[in-house]
Amino acid sequence: MSHIRGRFEKEADKSVLEYTESVRYDWRLYRQDIAGSIAHAKMLARQHIIEEGDAKDIIRGLEAIRDEIEEGQFHFDTKLEDIHMNIESSLIDKIGMLGKKLHTARSRNDQVALDLRLYVKEKTSQSISKLRELQSALVSLAEKNKEVIMPGYTHLQPAQPVLFAHHLLAYFEMLQRDIDRFRDCLKRVDVMPLGSGAVAGVTYNIDREFLARELGFSQISLNSMDAVSDRDFVLDYETAASICMMHLSRLAEEIIVWSSQEFGYIELDDAYATGSSIMPQKKNPDIAELARGKTGRIYGRLMAMLTTMKALPLSYNRDLQEDKEGLFDSIDTLLSTVEVFSGMVSTIIVRRDNINKTLKSDYILATDLADYLVRKGEAFRSAHSAVASLVAFAEKMGKLFSELSIEEYQRFSPLFKNDVYSITIDTSLAARNGIGGTAPTQVERSLKAAKRVLDEDKR
Amino acid sequence: MSHIRGRFEKEADKSVLEYTESVRYDWRLYRQDIAGSIAHAKMLARQHIIEEGDAKDIIRGLEAIRDEIEEGQFHFDTKLEDIHMNIESSLIDKIGMLGKKLHTARSRNDQVALDLRLYVKEKTSQSISKLRELQSALVSLAEKNKEVIMPGYTHLQPAQPVLFAHHLLAYFEMLQRDIDRFRDCLKRVDVMPLGSGAVAGVTYNIDREFLARELGFSQISLNSMDAVSDRDFVLDYETAASICMMHLSRLAEEIIVWSSQEFGYIELDDAYATGSSIMPQKKNPDIAELARGKTGRIYGRLMAMLTTMKALPLSYNRDLQEDKEGLFDSIDTLLSTVEVFSGMVSTIIVRRDNINKTLKSDYILATDLADYLVRKGEAFRSAHSAVASLVAFAEKMGKLFSELSIEEYQRFSPLFKNDVYSITIDTSLAARNGIGGTAPTQVERSLKAAKRVLDEDKR
Amino acid sequence: MSHIRGRFEKEADKSVLEYTESVRYDWRLYRQDIAGSIAHAKMLARQHIIEEGDAKDIIRGLEAIRDEIEEGQFHFDTKLEDIHMNIESSLIDKIGMLGKKLHTARSRNDQVALDLRLYVKEKTSQSISKLRELQSALVSLAEKNKEVIMPGYTHLQPAQPVLFAHHLLAYFEMLQRDIDRFRDCLKRVDVMPLGSGAVAGVTYNIDREFLARELGFSQISLNSMDAVSDRDFVLDYETAASICMMHLSRLAEEIIVWSSQEFGYIELDDAYATGSSIMPQKKNPDIAELARGKTGRIYGRLMAMLTTMKALPLSYNRDLQEDKEGLFDSIDTLLSTVEVFSGMVSTIIVRRDNINKTLKSDYILATDLADYLVRKGEAFRSAHSAVASLVAFAEKMGKLFSELSIEEYQRFSPLFKNDVYSITIDTSLAARNGIGGTAPTQVERSLKAAKRVLDEDKR
Amino acid sequence: MSHIRGRFEKEADKSVLEYTESVRYDWRLYRQDIAGSIAHAKMLARQHIIEEGDAKDIIRGLEAIRDEIEEGQFHFDTKLEDIHMNIESSLIDKIGMLGKKLHTARSRNDQVALDLRLYVKEKTSQSISKLRELQSALVSLAEKNKEVIMPGYTHLQPAQPVLFAHHLLAYFEMLQRDIDRFRDCLKRVDVMPLGSGAVAGVTYNIDREFLARELGFSQISLNSMDAVSDRDFVLDYETAASICMMHLSRLAEEIIVWSSQEFGYIELDDAYATGSSIMPQKKNPDIAELARGKTGRIYGRLMAMLTTMKALPLSYNRDLQEDKEGLFDSIDTLLSTVEVFSGMVSTIIVRRDNINKTLKSDYILATDLADYLVRKGEAFRSAHSAVASLVAFAEKMGKLFSELSIEEYQRFSPLFKNDVYSITIDTSLAARNGIGGTAPTQVERSLKAAKRVLDEDKR
């Protein structure tokens, strides 16, 4: 920090240094920072702002620093506050006065915006890839268990029979939207801010389009004040991550419920379950629980950043330094969760016997009975009402639908005929044969479509 | 609720009715609900699921109900729980048994998803229009004050001179991203869920593509379980609204600060300021303060919905009923804030004299002095350091830069020559002439581009 | 608002009026506002600031207004912005010029702080009473099912047997902390702010202690600037409500899980369950789901208020107007949830047969087996490890513990003797006989203690 | 983790290990964990559950481990997952089989609850001490500037004159409530959970009261299921920290605004300000900005924990592991912020000249003029209205109140007499002489009271 204290008479208090330093966490921007500086040096030379030879020395110096960092040889100094100053200071150590020229036509404000944008771009793409892997795991689990029928739940009560694969593909759709959302983020983060200077632009004849090309950006920022104070791209990532984590928390909840002895629908692979410190008989779905818990963490990071940004006057304020730790944590948490879910999902063992048990009660066919009456001419609401009474009666008698006599049926509607007995779980499934329905042909179609999406992406 | 209690023996407790009813707030979906039902009736007839004549009667009944509601003649009954049941029950009153056929091949689960999607689509478009109006107000205020120069702030400290118009255009950019984000929302909400039934699809040969066309959707949902439990589109709106409101809170903060006597940069029109109940001399920026305060409300609604969705198993759960009140409030709050801001911004009076006063101190040209030294051959960091010492010296002497002698300048660098006196606010502005910089020609260009965007949108 | 526009030349814009008015929701402070004004009038007379007779007329006028409001005869006018101005304006209509004296030595800033404190005090006490009723319902459900044994779960996996009453009493403890927390809130809200004026205090010789006594406060505020800008008491209520709602969401989750067919532990009374619009066989735990969903709403309101308060300079800012709607909603939501839970919990029917089924597997006694080995001299970790292997073996053999031969036991530890067969669910329960343990004698003791707490509170 | 995988056939996946390990952050509970284990060992011996000599060896082993950790000699192994297992495993390495006895009558569930409670107790007390120091800094800054008069603001507009000390003491009051709130937290965290076992209590004859005494707790938990799943004390800390940080964010905002050139009320000490990387003339209030920004972080952590706890069934779930990182970060952030604020506040230099300038306009005495008319017999609202017109007139004439002639005054009320000129800033201050008012005698009284509070606390 000393180098920017020129005008000050006193050293910063030690607790101040600790309070303000960020290299503890922003060191991980080193690759982006160096890439940005290399492009900047090239541009300065190209525009004759510095000498060609100077640029080459600067670039060589920066590359050497990158190597040192990657080899664990670099000494990060919290007194130098952040990754940018650590690198610049080391560059000056390495190549002398020349190093002091690198910051020409640049401010830390546009530099940090650049580094963070480069980082978020990369991590957003990585998030998309990981989500693709999880989609693959879902599809492969669905494929493996294509014939498994389970109750479709509403209110955690069995409602209508569905294919297990159909249930899993609901998550495929959610993740598809997540990917779509992350792609929208990519669009907005893909803006090159360098040249905005501290707030007003720079006084040199720089070439921003060149910088954008060098660094792989498709657009440049259009207002310097906005460019140095905009962190929408951080919020964009954090909102996409929050919604994605919400989806994962739903899957986590189902995995936990399905793993319970009472449901017993699935068993987790030993590699993805944990034992108990005191109860040797336990096999706990810890991964799913942790993921469910970490949902809070990701929401909290979003809320933190929204709060931090609230009511900040333009342009750069130090509050913005709070953007990074939360973002990094959101990224790490999301990536590791998606990764570990891919492993967990693809190794799930489905306990068909247990699932079948839950389908023994055929009250789950009640909607089909109502639809039957409608087809015979009853109005839907009246049909619904008749079947509701039929269920109450059957329950009281302790009988399944299939155990009721036709006379008993007819007490509730004269439209019931013997063909009512032909309604089964299988006919129920097959009948839901519109796009998006659970009929086996539809689910088969969806699985194919899903695989096509995954394949196309690979190419 | 009585009609869906067929199987139950007891009436719901009164406090239960109050706890569970939603017509108090979901009545506002009546247009969407009726439009959805009309399309559904048409489709049922087209597919020969009901008679053509029945469909016509149903449609006539629904239209009559819509008229009644719009004329304030409709009696909403909380005992009928929600808008859907209120309308259906009234339809049955009007056209008898026929009305009971409308719910064929439909469930409240897909019906409510449809209504809400229709509503969010409309309100998202409306949000975009209102934001366009606010952009216009910003551009017109910028146009009117094109020559006004003000300090560009970082850390609420004067950093470099900028054009007032440049500052305002930073908000134009933020709103541009908001509009872009709302357009992304439109993409994801534009999915027709009808045909998903309660959870598994429906057993009738319905035509979902027809429904989508009738209702103006470009896509249909691809998984019934996802379709009835997906509320991403609510979260999408609420996140876009939160980020947008954050931008408005920044503008609000500046309006408050600029309206303070100490800054005195602007004066609000009487129509957009408020007096004090006890201090007659006060003119308070209440609108801006309220908007800043309401930022919390919109964040809170987002956090609420994220929390509500956390860890819900598939598919529909009653928790989802909590989606609407928060969403409606977010929409209302955002729309009214943007609207009132348009009026407030377009009537702002800029106090040029007061702004000019803040530019009296020319230390704001310090970066330009450093850049001057760089151009003379100094390395940037050394130049920065020299000027920092110069500032400290000038401050101690109580002199402006322009009041320092050339000898005094040269104490800090021999590179200072007489041409240093030619650095002024105006040359400083003009020098920042890259894209996005504050040079008058750049700002002029940006204003033109902004107007082009606004004009194109009108066409 | 017109009366406080004296200095302004223009009327406020219509959209501004709508944006800023609060009587739409703050009308519900009318009793507090009138009580505060009556006490204020008495004090003004007592201190000879106004005439005794004037005070009497003012009080009569205020009482008449209160009656009008309670009889639904009062016309609230949004143009008069808030409840305070509505009442004051009506008072002036009623008693003429005299009414204009009431605001002497008072500002809307301290007036609104007073009204809200009175309101929160009352609602906090009411929250405590409602929680007591829910505690009663829990205790009575526990009493009725004192002998019911169920698995104690960790990770939603059966861990060790516990009494159902023990499980319920865990919620008694949580609510006990909630009550304690609300009592802490009472302490901090119980501070009389009147006399703080707009910001600096008032210039009249008022008697603040008298006001406090009249209005039932035990303390007066000690700094006028703090008093008009402090909303900690709102946050205190909202945090206590959030934590309380979190507890209720846990209970809600268990009720939902226990109501599932797969668990089948409980059945909700028909009055507290809901049917399906399409599936007549369903009995859905809607109340519990709604409550779980509303948790988000209450969290959101807290987050909103925290955000609103962030970084507000002293003293009063219009942002603070955002305190009320969220608070009112939090209060209403909490009170109605607790009330409806009391009814739901007290009518729960426990399905002992189903619970018993889950205890058929005696692996739940694994900890007891490990403790058995420890008592025979094994170190705990080794005992744990031996039993873990035993469980794996038994599982593979498809045997219960009770079905293993002693030789089979001894494969895993020579310390196993025939007395191992005396370990049963009942001995397991009875052995956990420390304070807070699930042994029947302990639970009996806890039930008695709980009833004592409830009884003491009634007196 | 291997030691609790006894029953499992596969090793955990590497990514699973990384996902689930917590020693990376929970290592900092080592002192609490060891203290808890020592007390536990003593108790086990006292109750003859283990031998006296064994307990001594265990305790010696634990003390040795503590020393190793404090000397940086201890190797933390993430494969051993958490701090508890790291210590236990090292103990077994050190003292052999004996070490395996320590976990008798204990589970990780009650152990972790204990450790965290011990930690929170300590950190809560530390938070209170640090807040006392900040209160001291405020009082000392107030003392030093006892005569400074400034505008009291509402809506960031000058409202009435106040003493600078009065303004500062408003923050003293806020922190006083924070301390009170942390004391309430202490009450609820001060509960000893050991003996709750995994969920149901333990089967050994342990002495929980002894454990409580040894570890300095005043109460023991009363329900084992609640004790292992309760994290209210974490939320209690995080809510108190959030409200406290909100207060600090308000102070931060004022310091930033007051440090602006336009206000110029204060100057920060060089040790507590930062320079700019590009603008050598800048002196930025970075500490205050960072603190304002970190408010979001603390809110986010609270929201995270509330979300994590939502809808968790009893008792322990792995989600709870998410309690620690957020809590630790909240604690660290709050403590460091309060500490750095103490330094910053106590070194603030007040620029009396600049403050005085803002008092030149005497419109700030408008309330005093209205009160003057009231004393002469005018009703308050009429007086307010008359003065409002007077202000408008004076503004139009470009005159101060003191520059108006008595005739001009009388145009607005005949009650104005020559004594109106005796109303000054000083009389205005002095007149607000009720408890909590800004009159110098009142402020003097408040300062004394504040110092008394601080002194009492030291004793």
Side-chain angles (χ1 to χ4, degrees), chain A residues 199-429:
Chain A
V199 48
V202 297
T203 65
Y204 301 85
N205 176 29
I206 65 173
D207 185 345
R208 300 187 64 209
E209 302 285 4
F210 172 81
L211 285 169
R213 278 195 309 278
E214 278 289 299
L215 292 164
F217 284 97
S218 71
Q219 303 160 69
I220 61 171
S221 61
L222 298 177
N223 182 292
S224 61
M225 299 188 77
D226 177 48
V228 297
S229 58
D230 168 30
R231 290 297 183 274
D232 283 12
F233 61 97
V234 173
L235 289 167
D236 276 340
Y237 187 92
E238 292 185 337
T239 54
S242 292
I243 297 177
C244 181
M245 198 71 180
M246 177 272 283
H247 294 148
L248 298 178
S249 77
R250 300 184 77 168
L251 181 53
E253 175 80 6
E254 303 214 280
I255 286 172
I256 293 163
V257 168
W258 292 346
S259 297
S260 70
Q261 286 196 14
E262 290 74 9
F263 276 73
Y265 284 13
I266 60 169
E267 194 178 328
L268 294 177
D269 189 85
D270 284 359
Y272 291 92
T274 314
S276 160
S277 73
I278 191 168
M279 294 157 298
Q281 86 281 12
K282 301 277 302 287
K283 186 168 183 179
N284 298 326
D286 288 60
I287 303 291
E289 290 171 276
L290 266 173
R292 189 176 58 180
K294 283 175 193 290
T295 310
R297 173 194 285 247
I298 286 199
Y299 289 4
R301 295 305 199 169
L302 166 60
M303 197 42 45
M305 190 61 191
L306 281 170
T307 304
T308 295
M309 297 299 297
K310 181 213 160 195
L312 287 190
L314 296 190
S315 59
Y316 183 84
N317 299 283
R318 190 66 178 267
D319 315 54
L320 294 183
Q321 180 172 315
E322 282 293 305
D323 57 358
K324 279 179 270 317
E325 260 183 297
L327 173 68
F328 294 167
D329 186 42
S330 290
I331 290 170
D332 293 348
T333 303
L334 186 71
L335 288 176
S336 61
T337 301
V338 175
E339 186 182 336
V340 80
F341 263 53
S342 295
M344 176 174 63
V345 165
S346 62
T347 55
I348 281 177
I349 298 146
V350 177
R351 294 279 172 234
R352 301 183 186 208
D353 292 353
N354 290 334
I355 300 189
N356 282 343
K357 262 186 263 164
T358 67
L359 289 171
K360 270 186 319 195
S361 164
D362 56 7
Y363 296 168
I364 203 169
L365 299 174
T367 324
D368 296 86
L369 287 195
D371 285 344
Y372 168 94
L373 290 178
V374 168
R375 276 194 197 86
K376 302 266 178 172
E378 190 62 87
F380 178 78
R381 280 294 174 210
S382 309
H384 181 278
S385 173
V387 178
S389 305
L390 178 72
V391 172
F393 170 80
E395 248 188 354
K396 200 166 282 173
M397 306 298 290
K399 289 188 178 178
L400 297 177
F401 285 158
S402 59
E403 296 166 351
L404 293 174
S405 69
I406 191 66
E407 291 75 25
E408 286 172 322
Y409 268 114
Q410 289 174 349
R411 279 200 214 170
F412 298 93
S413 168
L415 299 172
F416 280 120
K417 306 288 167 198
N418 270 323
D419 58 352
V420 72
Y421 295 106
S422 68
I423 298 173
T424 63
I425 299 280
D426 286 329
T427 63
S428 167
L429 279 176

Side-chain angles (χ1 to χ4, degrees), chain A residues 153-155 157-159 253 259 262-263 276-277 279-282 284 289 303 307-308 310 366-367 381 384 388, chain C residues 153-155 157-159 253 259 262 276-277 279-282 284 289 303 307-308 310 366-367 381 384 388:
Chain A
Y153 292 85
T154 61
H155 310 267
Q157 301 285 324
E253 175 80 6
S259 297
E262 290 74 9
F263 276 73
S276 160
S277 73
M279 294 157 298
Q281 86 281 12
K282 301 277 302 287
N284 298 326
E289 290 171 276
M303 197 42 45
T307 304
T308 295
K310 181 213 160 195
T367 324
R381 280 294 174 210
H384 181 278
Chain C
Y153 291 87
T154 62
H155 310 266
Q157 301 285 325
E253 175 81 5
S259 297
E262 291 74 8
S276 158
S277 73
M279 295 157 298
Q281 86 281 13
K282 301 276 304 286
N284 298 327
E289 289 171 275
M303 196 41 47
T307 304
T308 296
K310 180 212 163 196
T367 326
R381 282 292 175 211
H384 180 278

